[in-house]
């Protein structure tokens, strides 16, 4: 449960009221994740995609929905600057709740779909111990003026649980077996909940989750906070 700017505590029963009032004052998890991607890959002063160029990005412009164009210094380029573009084609992020109960729920959900698709021991321990507050995934296309064609980028990320007095930030991770299993289990669990949980449908007051995915995700997250948030 969390307080709202209307001065009430949001529960499952009050969810439609909360959503109608435009509550949930915190930024959505996926918005924060996207901001972290921009800061790391295409922000002025950052290195393009964390690895390209001989210096930081000098100019950046958002040229479309989840599309950014940049200029950055590159040796051997006429004029000294190369250009590049990042186009995010897929992005999702989900909260993870600490404890064995939530780990068990993820495991059971994953095994219902694929008997070999459960959490690895490492992923189970990470959830049980509360190591992560959220997990994310991004797929993107990158183009550079110095190279022909497009580069496909696929990246996982986790938001470590914040410690007292220390604010956590998103960390990019390689697609190890444990990271992949945790992502697939979490993504599948939330997707099925948003598609078929009657409580989510009632909260969102909508028939089609694809019409407003952010709303359905907020509803699912709120219900899980009540059950696993402590």
């Amino acid at each position: 449960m969390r307080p709202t700017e209307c001065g009430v505590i949001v529960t499952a029963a009050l969810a439609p009221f909360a959503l109608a009032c435009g509550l949930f004052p915190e930024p959505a998890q996926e918005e924060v994740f996207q901001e972290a991607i921009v800061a790391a890959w295409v922000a002025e002063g950052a290195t393009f995609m964390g690895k390209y160029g001989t210096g930081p990005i000098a100019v950046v412009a958002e040229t479309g929905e989840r599309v950014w164009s940049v200029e950055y210094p590159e040796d051997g380029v006429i004029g000294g600057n190369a250009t590049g573009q990042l186009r995010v084609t897929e992005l999702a992020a989900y909260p993870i709740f600490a404890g064995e109960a939530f780990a068990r729920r993820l495991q059971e959900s994953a095994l219902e779909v694929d008997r070999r698709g459960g959490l690895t021991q490492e992923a189970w321990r990470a959830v049980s111990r509360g190591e992560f507050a959220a997990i994310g995934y991004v797929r993107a296309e990158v183009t550079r003026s110095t190279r022909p064609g497009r580069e496909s980028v696929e990246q996982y990320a986790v938001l470590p649980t914040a410690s007292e007095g220390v604010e956590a930030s998103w960390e990019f991770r390689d697609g190890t077996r444990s990271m992949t299993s945790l992502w697939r289990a979490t993504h599948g669990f939330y997707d099925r909940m948003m598609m078929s949980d009657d409580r989510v449908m009632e909260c969102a007051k909508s028939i089609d989750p694809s019409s407003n995915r952010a709303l359905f995700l907020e509803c699912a997250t709120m219900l899980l906070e009540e059950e696993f948030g402590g």
Side-chain angles (χ1 to χ4, degrees):
M1 297 185 294
R2 49 185 166 179
T4 76
E5 60 193 39
C6 286
V8 298
I9 299 297
V10 176
T11 65
L14 291 173
F17 165 79
L19 292 164
C21 283
L23 304 181
F24 302 126
E26 304 92 344
Q29 195 71 259
E30 289 176 356
E31 293 177 16
V32 179
F33 181 38
Q34 179 172 301
E35 290 171 359
I37 292 168
V38 171
W41 289 351
V42 290
E44 289 186 15
T47 300
F48 182 42
M49 300 305 299
K51 58 183 177 180
Y52 296 127
T54 55
I57 293 170
V59 179
V60 58
E62 188 170 358
T63 56
E65 185 177 0
R66 289 181 174 174
V67 182
W68 296 266
S69 296
V70 300
E71 292 183 18
Y72 57 96
E74 183 71 88
D75 289 343
V77 175
I78 296 176
N81 277 356
T83 60
Q85 183 186 81
L86 170 69
R87 180 186 300 273
V88 172
T89 57
E90 183 178 347
L91 181 149
Y94 305 102
I96 294 178
F97 299 91
E100 288 194 4
F102 188 66
R104 188 175 304 110
R105 181 72 66 83
L106 291 181
Q107 176 84 333
E108 291 171 351
S109 176
L111 293 178
E112 286 177 3
V113 178
D114 181 358
R115 296 303 301 175
R116 296 178 297 176
L119 297 173
T120 63
Q121 289 185 352
E122 182 180 350
W124 176 282
R125 285 196 300 269
V127 177
S128 298
R129 295 173 180 174
E131 295 179 12
F132 306 136
I135 187 169
Y137 169 84
V138 59
R139 178 177 294 180
E141 294 178 349
V142 178
T143 57
R144 292 183 289 152
S145 61
T146 56
R147 293 288 186 275
R150 298 178 179 177
E151 175 188 1
S152 180
V153 175
E154 184 180 43
Q155 187 75 64
Y156 296 92
V158 292
L159 179 64
T161 301
S163 57
E164 186 174 353
V166 179
E167 185 176 352
S169 57
W170 282 93
E171 298 176 359
F172 293 112
R173 298 290 179 91
D174 293 330
T176 62
R177 180 168 173 263
S178 290
M179 187 57 54
T180 301
S181 79
L182 179 56
W183 167 253
R184 288 177 177 172
T186 307
H187 173 60
F189 170 69
Y190 274 90
D191 254 18
R192 287 186 285 278
M193 186 174 182
M194 288 189 287
M195 291 290 292
S196 60
D197 192 300
D198 290 340
R199 299 171 301 165
V200 175
M201 300 299 174
E202 173 62 21
C203 168
K205 297 295 185 183
S206 179
I207 296 174
D208 182 8
S210 65
S211 65
N212 191 341
R213 180 178 177 278
L215 176 60
F216 277 78
L217 181 54
E218 279 285 11
C219 286
T221 299
M222 184 182 62
L223 292 166
L224 292 171
E225 280 180 345
E226 290 190 333
E227 185 174 356
F228 299 106

